[in-house]
Amino acid sequence: MLITVQDFETAARMRIDPVHADFIAGGAGDEITVRANEEAFRRLRLLPRVLRGSAERALDISVLGSRARTPVLLSPTAFHKLVDEEGEAATARAAAAAGAIMIVSMASTVAVEDIAAAAREAGEHGDPPPLWFQLYIQPDLEFTEALVRRATDAGCAALVVTVDSPVRGAHERDLRNGFLDLPPGLRCEHMVDPREGGRVHPIAMSPVISWEHIDWLRGTTSLPILLKGALHPEDARLAVRHGVDGLLLSNHGGRQLDTVPATVELLPEIAAAVAGRIPIVLDGGVRRGTDVVKALALGACAVGIGRPVMWALAEGGEKGVRRLLELLREELDHALALCGASGVRDLPPDLVRAPAWGPASAHTERERAVTREARAWEGVETEREGGA
């Protein structure tokens, strides 16, 4: 019986190759950050309001022009065909039916054009559901630009640029299992290079990628750009200054640098750094409707889920992913009712009680920090207008 998100993992592990299960579950190094993401949510406490008089809760959101019926997004995850023969097409249909934004992975085993077609078929009343595209900027900028055009032509509404991967994370489970490449018959469809007769390139993790590349990308596309993987508040400020449209606050599910903090721990500081100038989506460790409430109260406009989607796809294909999204929607609505909230936009930071997490952990300090950042930003803008 599938009653919780954890139940999908339990059921999926009985169906799929243990090597592939390790690929989904595993992280970098000692997997400290993998565990920390969930543990951090468990340490947070909710302090509800009462007698608020709201019979129904509004769960819909709009982020950078993309409307969705739920604040739970599908974060980019690779290689869906490892666990289901339809792969990302099945995931896209489930997301579209649930009215959820799906972020298509650059390491998808189904091409973005086919994913978009599958999503359109399943969209409510035939409306195109929101799709975003995750991108690793490649040293081959011509190839990168062509891939951005493909995503744009397929109807993707935003680009999510992963910036935390100058090199690959050390995935020790995969090394022990010898899982170093896709099985025969599967490939990364977005890495097929028509200039070289259909050769499939590996995704390059390059330490030379810099803010200059973000500026270059900003000049090549009109799509909104979100950065995925910027964890330091100063990088969040730089993102705003470089014209980035949003942040996906993510530590790559603990799959890159081990021992970085849980993303929800960093959320108050990042929210203070951007001071409302750009939206923040958070992923990492979201497993309950109460987790969604906590993240939204602390400054996120939406959350993403990764591993749960893979487990649900492995457990039941399209129907499994759809049930997962329904379950989280039901849990979220229930949590909102118990918190006395009228919807996902009615969640102030004083709803959350947190342990001591760094300089901006308490909501009072976060509010002070937001004010300081906003004033500092106003000063910068005034200088620019006068002396640029």
Side-chain angles (χ1 to χ4, degrees):
M1 191 176 228
L2 301 173
I3 297 176
T4 70
V5 170
Q6 178 60 44
D7 291 338
F8 287 91
E9 177 177 350
T10 302
R13 284 182 176 276
M14 299 174 65
R15 293 172 176 258
I16 63 174
D17 187 327
V19 171
H20 298 163
D22 267 357
F23 166 74
I24 296 168
D30 295 315
E31 301 182 353
I32 291 169
T33 298
V34 174
R35 295 187 294 275
N37 278 337
E38 294 186 42
E39 290 166 358
F41 274 109
R42 285 195 287 268
R43 289 198 300 272
L44 290 170
R45 299 292 180 263
L46 289 171
L47 189 64
R49 300 294 304 275
V50 297
L51 301 175
R52 303 294 294 277
S54 180
E56 296 183 358
R57 275 71 54 194
L59 306 187
D60 59 297
I61 62 165
S62 179
V63 185
L64 299 175
S66 293
R67 299 186 61 83
R69 300 200 307 274
T70 171
V72 179
L73 285 64
L74 283 70
S75 286
T77 47
F79 309 158
H80 289 203
K81 280 192 173 183
L82 280 180
V83 299
D84 181 84
E85 63 181 11
E86 291 191 281
E88 289 83 0
T91 308
R93 288 196 298 270
I101 295 170
M102 176 180 175
I103 307 175
V104 177
S105 172
M106 185 164 163
S108 170
T109 49
V110 177
V112 64
E113 296 87 354
D114 296 329
I115 294 170
R120 283 192 296 270
E121 291 172 6
E124 189 179 70
H125 309 306
D127 295 332
L131 279 179
W132 295 354
F133 187 82
Q134 179 262 334
L135 177 73
Y136 292 98
I137 296 177
Q138 300 294 280
D140 183 343
L141 295 183
E142 181 184 353
F143 181 86
T144 302
E145 186 172 4
L147 186 53
V148 169
R149 283 198 302 270
R150 279 185 67 183
T152 304
D153 292 345
C156 292
L159 295 176
V160 179
V161 183
T162 299
V163 294
D164 63 358
S165 304
V167 295
R168 295 182 187 278
H171 300 168
E172 294 174 5
R173 292 201 208 194
D174 294 341
L175 291 172
R176 289 192 181 97
N177 291 331
F179 183 67
L180 306 176
D181 201 355
L182 285 169
L186 299 184
R187 65 182 187 178
C188 290
E189 292 292 340
H190 301 127
M191 298 308 296
V192 177
D193 192 342
R195 300 171 303 177
E196 300 183 23
R199 178 189 169 199
V200 181
H201 290 280
I203 295 176
M205 308 290 185
S206 173
V208 305
I209 301 301
S210 70
W211 288 105
E212 291 181 2
H213 291 83
I214 301 301
D215 296 338
W216 167 81
L217 182 63
R218 179 71 289 166
T220 65
T221 180
S222 61
L223 292 181
I225 295 173
L226 299 92
L227 295 192
K228 177 179 182 287
L231 300 177
H232 197 289
E234 186 55 37
D235 285 330
R237 297 182 190 101
L238 282 169
V240 175
R241 294 179 181 127
H242 281 267
V244 168
D245 300 289
L247 296 177
L248 176 45
L249 181 56
S250 171
N251 54 32
H252 220 116
R255 297 172 75 90
Q256 280 300 106
L257 176 62
D258 196 20
T259 75
V260 300
T263 48
V264 74
E265 292 183 23
L266 297 170
L267 180 55
E269 287 184 80
I270 297 298
V274 303
R277 296 185 291 271
I278 58 175
I280 303 168
V281 179
L282 174 141
D283 77 9
V286 174
R287 299 295 183 268
R288 285 281 189 180
T290 49
D291 296 340
V292 182
V293 169
K294 293 168 184 177
L296 298 183
L298 289 174
C301 67
V303 302
I305 54 173
R307 288 182 178 90
V309 173
M310 294 295 286
W311 296 127
L313 185 66
E315 183 280 326
E318 176 186 341
K319 291 181 179 178
V321 178
R322 187 164 184 175
R323 174 58 189 142
L324 169 73
L325 295 172
E326 290 170 350
L327 172 64
L328 283 171
R329 182 183 178 87
E330 292 163 3
E331 285 194 5
L332 171 59
D333 184 65
H334 187 250
L336 289 170
L338 289 172
C339 286
S342 62
V344 295
R345 288 177 288 278
D346 183 27
L347 296 171
D350 63 5
L351 192 71
V352 179
R353 289 290 182 265
W357 281 343
S361 60
H363 70 87
T364 52
E365 175 58 28
R366 175 191 161 201
E367 290 164 357
R368 294 190 195 104
V370 168
T371 301
R372 289 195 299 269
E373 289 288 338
R375 288 174 178 167
W377 187 257
E378 287 170 4
V380 169
E381 290 299 299
T382 300
E383 290 177 10
R384 284 180 176 174
E385 291 171 4

